[in-house]
PDB file of all heavy atoms in Angstrom:
ATOM      1  N   PRO A 170      21.541   9.549  -2.420  1.00  0.00           N
ATOM      2  CA  PRO A 170      22.543  10.312  -3.164  1.00  0.00           C
ATOM      3  C   PRO A 170      22.529   9.977  -4.660  1.00  0.00           C
ATOM      4  O   PRO A 170      22.123   8.876  -5.059  1.00  0.00           O
ATOM      5  CB  PRO A 170      23.866   9.888  -2.516  1.00  0.00           C
ATOM      6  CG  PRO A 170      23.489   9.360  -1.176  1.00  0.00           C
ATOM      7  CD  PRO A 170      22.135   8.748  -1.338  1.00  0.00           C
ATOM      8  N   ASP A 171      22.953  10.925  -5.462  1.00  0.00           N
ATOM      9  CA  ASP A 171      23.047  10.692  -6.902  1.00  0.00           C
ATOM     10  C   ASP A 171      23.966   9.505  -7.191  1.00  0.00           C
ATOM     11  O   ASP A 171      24.947   9.264  -6.478  1.00  0.00           O
ATOM     12  CB  ASP A 171      23.594  11.937  -7.612  1.00  0.00           C
ATOM     13  CG  ASP A 171      22.562  13.046  -7.718  1.00  0.00           C
ATOM     14  OD1 ASP A 171      21.449  12.868  -7.197  1.00  0.00           O
ATOM     15  OD2 ASP A 171      22.874  14.084  -8.327  1.00  0.00           O
ATOM     16  N   GLY A 172      23.629   8.783  -8.243  1.00  0.00           N
ATOM     17  CA  GLY A 172      24.440   7.639  -8.640  1.00  0.00           C
ATOM     18  C   GLY A 172      23.572   6.442  -8.976  1.00  0.00           C
ATOM     19  O   GLY A 172      22.344   6.534  -9.054  1.00  0.00           O
ATOM     20  N   GLU A 173      24.221   5.336  -9.174  1.00  0.00           N
ATOM     21  CA  GLU A 173      23.538   4.111  -9.592  1.00  0.00           C
ATOM     22  C   GLU A 173      22.736   3.509  -8.449  1.00  0.00           C
ATOM     23  O   GLU A 173      23.182   3.480  -7.304  1.00  0.00           O
ATOM     24  CB  GLU A 173      24.571   3.107 -10.094  1.00  0.00           C
ATOM     25  CG  GLU A 173      23.987   1.888 -10.756  1.00  0.00           C
ATOM     26  CD  GLU A 173      25.057   0.983 -11.340  1.00  0.00           C
ATOM     27  OE1 GLU A 173      25.451   1.202 -12.510  1.00  0.00           O
ATOM     28  OE2 GLU A 173      25.509   0.072 -10.618  1.00  0.00           O
ATOM     29  N   VAL A 174      21.532   3.026  -8.774  1.00  0.00           N
ATOM     30  CA  VAL A 174      20.672   2.350  -7.799  1.00  0.00           C
ATOM     31  C   VAL A 174      20.133   1.057  -8.392  1.00  0.00           C
ATOM     32  O   VAL A 174      19.997   0.921  -9.611  1.00  0.00           O
ATOM     33  CB  VAL A 174      19.490   3.252  -7.358  1.00  0.00           C
ATOM     34  CG1 VAL A 174      19.977   4.403  -6.511  1.00  0.00           C
ATOM     35  CG2 VAL A 174      18.701   3.763  -8.565  1.00  0.00           C
ATOM     36  N   GLU A 191      19.290   1.573 -12.461  1.00  0.00           N
ATOM     37  CA  GLU A 191      18.996   2.902 -12.968  1.00  0.00           C
ATOM     38  C   GLU A 191      19.882   3.909 -12.236  1.00  0.00           C
ATOM     39  O   GLU A 191      20.800   3.521 -11.503  1.00  0.00           O
ATOM     40  CB  GLU A 191      17.513   3.237 -12.774  1.00  0.00           C
ATOM     41  CG  GLU A 191      16.546   2.250 -13.395  1.00  0.00           C
ATOM     42  CD  GLU A 191      16.545   2.253 -14.909  1.00  0.00           C
ATOM     43  OE1 GLU A 191      17.038   3.247 -15.490  1.00  0.00           O
ATOM     44  OE2 GLU A 191      16.054   1.278 -15.498  1.00  0.00           O
ATOM     45  N   SER A 192      19.616   5.190 -12.430  1.00  0.00           N
ATOM     46  CA  SER A 192      20.436   6.224 -11.793  1.00  0.00           C
ATOM     47  C   SER A 192      19.571   7.320 -11.181  1.00  0.00           C
ATOM     48  O   SER A 192      18.514   7.666 -11.718  1.00  0.00           O
ATOM     49  CB  SER A 192      21.401   6.847 -12.803  1.00  0.00           C
ATOM     50  OG  SER A 192      22.343   5.901 -13.250  1.00  0.00           O
ATOM     51  N   VAL A 193      20.038   7.848 -10.052  1.00  0.00           N
ATOM     52  CA  VAL A 193      19.480   9.062  -9.466  1.00  0.00           C
ATOM     53  C   VAL A 193      20.347  10.219  -9.931  1.00  0.00           C
ATOM     54  O   VAL A 193      21.575  10.188  -9.781  1.00  0.00           O
ATOM     55  CB  VAL A 193      19.474   8.988  -7.927  1.00  0.00           C
ATOM     56  CG1 VAL A 193      19.026  10.318  -7.329  1.00  0.00           C
ATOM     57  CG2 VAL A 193      18.567   7.859  -7.451  1.00  0.00           C
ATOM     58  N   ARG A 215      20.181   1.911  -2.815  1.00  0.00           N
ATOM     59  CA  ARG A 215      21.574   2.289  -3.050  1.00  0.00           C
ATOM     60  C   ARG A 215      22.463   1.129  -2.624  1.00  0.00           C
ATOM     61  O   ARG A 215      22.302   0.576  -1.569  1.00  0.00           O
ATOM     62  CB  ARG A 215      21.913   3.557  -2.260  1.00  0.00           C
ATOM     63  CG  ARG A 215      23.405   3.890  -2.189  1.00  0.00           C
ATOM     64  CD  ARG A 215      24.106   3.843  -3.546  1.00  0.00           C
ATOM     65  NE  ARG A 215      23.515   4.689  -4.534  1.00  0.00           N
ATOM     66  CZ  ARG A 215      23.834   5.973  -4.698  1.00  0.00           C
ATOM     67  NH1 ARG A 215      24.712   6.542  -3.896  1.00  0.00           N
ATOM     68  NH2 ARG A 215      23.267   6.677  -5.627  1.00  0.00           N
TER      69      ARG A 215
END
Side-chain angles (χ1 to χ4, degrees):
D171 285 3
E173 189 175 272
V174 290
E191 304 291 342
S192 295
V193 174
R215 168 49 56 87

